[in-house]
Amino acid sequence: MIFKVYYQETKVQVPVRENTKTMYVEAETQREVRKKLQDRNYNIEFIQQLEGEHLEYEQASEYFELEQV
């Protein structure tokens, strides 16, 4: 499964929409995504599972790139 992760670059940074970054991670569960990213010290706001037409839409974006973790 592919997940879209919304995050801030540091845990001490206050979540502000304008500073939120995204990445795409392949994993079986949201828990596995968190485990893969735990060493990066990100403040993860939200993890969204992508499937079907939503996944196709995201893959068509020029910004779609699976993070290698």
Side-chain angles (χ1 to χ4, degrees):
M1 287 185 252
I2 307 290
F3 292 90
K4 185 174 185 178
V5 180
Y6 297 83
Y7 69 97
Q8 304 292 321
E9 290 190 321
T10 65
K11 289 190 179 205
V12 296
Q13 189 175 1
V14 176
V16 177
R17 167 76 61 201
E18 291 80 11
N19 297 332
T20 298
K21 301 190 184 292
T22 60
M23 74 170 68
Y24 302 91
V25 178
E26 187 170 7
E28 291 298 316
T29 63
Q30 287 186 14
R31 181 176 287 185
E32 186 179 333
V33 172
R34 288 186 183 277
K35 187 174 183 179
K36 287 181 173 185
L37 297 176
Q38 72 184 9
D39 64 329
R40 297 195 184 192
N41 200 32
Y42 290 155
N43 181 10
I44 297 175
E45 292 180 44
F46 185 67
I47 300 175
Q48 179 181 21
Q49 180 180 337
L50 301 177
E51 57 188 357
E53 291 181 1
H54 191 178
L55 176 58
E56 291 174 20
Y57 174 81
E58 293 287 345
Q59 287 174 327
S61 168
E62 65 183 84
Y63 302 109
F64 183 85
E65 182 178 328
L66 277 177
E67 188 75 19
Q68 301 299 317
V69 288

